[in-house]
Amino acid sequence: MAEIIQKDGTWSFDGDTVRIVPGSDKGVGPLRQALGEVTVPLDAVAGVSYEPGRKSGRLRLRLRGGADPLLQLAGGRLKDGSDPYQLSVENDRSGVAEYFVDAVRNALLIEQISPEQVDRYLLPGPAVPISATAGDGTVEFDGEQIRLSWNWKTEDAKSSGGPRTIAIGDVESVDWLPPAALENGHLRFTVARIRSSAPAKYDPHAVELWGFRKDPLMAVVGAAVVARLPHPYAEEKPAALTRGEPGPAAPPADDPDTLLRRLRELGELHRSGVLTDEEFTTAKQAVLKRL
C-alpha cells in the first residue's frame, strides 16, 4: 500500500485502485468537496508524476482520454483548486510522493496498461440525484430527468417560461464553459430537435455563470449527465448486432499465447533491471495463476 496524506487530501494505492479523498484545507475547491472520494481503477490511469516546487510540490494523476466523464466535460479547463487529480505536497513529504509515483508506474508497467484513449467510461461519474445552484439558476438531475429553475437574477425572457425539464434521452450533448476574464461561462444542454444560438443568459436550456466560487459545481452536475450519454469514442456496433443476430465470438480473456508472451516480456524487463526481483516474482506468479 502506498499512501500520502496532506492538507490538500489523501491519496492511496493498493496495486489495483487509486483512492483520492479531498482534504479540508481552504484551498480545496467546492467541486472537489462535492465529488468526495474518487476511486480510479488502474486501467483508467495513463500516467503519474511529481513536480517539485519552491514551497510545495504537486502530485498529478493523468487519466486515459475518455475514462472520466468529468474530464471529458471539462476539456482541460479545470483550475488547480478544482482538479481532483492534483495534490499539493509539502516539500518534506516529497520522498513519499516519489514513492507513490514509483508504485503506480510499476503497476502500470507490470499490467501493461495502455495510455491510449478508451471507448467507455471507466469511472461512473458523480452519483445521482444531484443538484447545484450558481449563476442565474439551479440544475437538478435524478438520472432520468434534468430540471432547470431560475432565480431573481435570471433575464425575464428566460424565466418567463418557468422551469424547464429535459429527459436524458433528449440530450445530445453537454457543454460546460467556465467564466474567463470578462466573458461569462455556462452549463448548456443541447436538446434533440431544438437548435438555439442564443447566449446562455437567454437560453432556457442553459445556466449562465458569472465567475463566483460555486460555478464549478455545475461541472459536477454536467458530468453526471455526460456519464449517462453515449460515449463519444464508442465504436458503432456491427450491423448483425443491431439486427439482433449473434456477432462474432469474443476471444478468450486469458489466451495462453498472450500469457506466455507476457511472461517473456516480464523476463526481459527483469533482465534489463526495470523490474526488481520481488516485482518480477509477483508479476510472474499472477500470470502463472491465469495460465
Side-chain angles (χ1 to χ4, degrees):
M1 169 75 77
E3 183 177 62
I4 180 167
I5 303 173
Q6 294 289 278
K7 293 179 181 179
D8 202 24
T10 298
W11 287 20
S12 59
F13 177 60
D14 62 5
D16 297 312
T17 304
V18 178
R19 285 185 169 82
I20 298 174
V21 180
S24 56
D25 187 69
K26 63 181 181 180
V28 177
L31 184 152
R32 289 171 58 193
Q33 294 172 355
L35 278 180
E37 180 176 328
V38 178
T39 302
V40 184
L42 183 63
D43 60 354
V45 178
V48 62
S49 63
Y50 172 67
E51 304 162 3
R54 288 180 56 190
K55 294 183 178 180
S56 63
R58 191 166 296 277
L59 190 60
R60 297 179 187 267
L61 193 69
R62 185 166 58 88
L63 270 58
R64 300 169 68 183
D68 180 14
L70 173 62
L71 296 186
Q72 188 68 29
L73 173 69
R77 295 177 297 224
L78 288 177
K79 294 182 179 179
D80 289 354
S82 295
D83 191 341
Y85 305 113
Q86 296 188 30
L87 180 70
S88 180
V89 178
E90 297 173 5
N91 284 339
D92 63 353
R93 306 297 289 170
S94 61
V96 180
E98 290 170 351
Y99 174 79
F100 187 94
V101 168
D102 287 343
V104 176
R105 284 180 177 172
N106 286 338
L108 291 172
L109 185 62
I110 291 171
E111 295 300 324
Q112 294 189 330
I113 304 297
S114 168
E116 299 299 321
Q117 71 182 26
V118 294
D119 60 3
R120 63 185 178 89
Y121 291 122
L122 302 179
L123 279 78
V128 294
I130 188 172
S131 66
T133 298
D136 68 349
T138 296
V139 180
E140 302 168 85
F141 179 51
D142 62 6
E144 296 182 357
Q145 290 188 324
I146 303 160
R147 177 181 169 85
L148 296 93
S149 54
W150 317 114
N151 56 40
W152 64 273
K153 295 171 284 188
T154 310
E155 289 287 334
D156 290 342
K158 182 160 70 173
S159 63
S160 60
R164 185 62 57 107
T165 299
I166 310 168
I168 185 66
D170 291 333
V171 178
E172 292 186 346
S173 63
V174 185
D175 181 45
W176 174 71
L177 179 68
L182 299 178
E183 297 292 328
N184 291 338
H186 61 251
L187 176 67
R188 188 192 303 271
F189 301 95
T190 301
V191 180
R193 301 180 300 279
I194 299 176
R195 292 290 179 268
S196 174
S197 58
K201 66 188 301 182
Y202 301 117
D203 187 348
H205 299 121
V207 172
E208 186 180 36
L209 304 175
W210 299 318
F212 296 120
R213 178 173 170 80
K214 290 187 177 181
D215 285 358
L217 292 176
M218 285 294 174
V220 182
V221 180
V225 177
V226 167
R228 289 157 179 82
L229 297 180
H231 196 284
Y233 305 148
E235 296 182 1
E236 297 253 344
K237 291 184 178 180
L241 295 183
T242 61
R243 294 194 300 267
E245 302 173 10
D254 288 337
D255 177 67
D257 290 339
T258 300
L259 295 176
L260 289 173
R261 185 168 62 251
R262 175 69 66 84
L263 282 175
R264 288 194 296 270
E265 291 169 349
L266 290 173
E268 291 172 1
L269 292 172
H270 181 232
R271 286 191 294 274
S272 63
V274 175
L275 296 180
T276 65
D277 292 344
E278 182 180 356
E279 291 167 342
F280 172 66
T281 300
T282 301
K284 183 177 70 173
Q285 289 175 348
V287 174
L288 289 175
K289 285 181 181 179
R290 292 162 65 181
L291 270 173

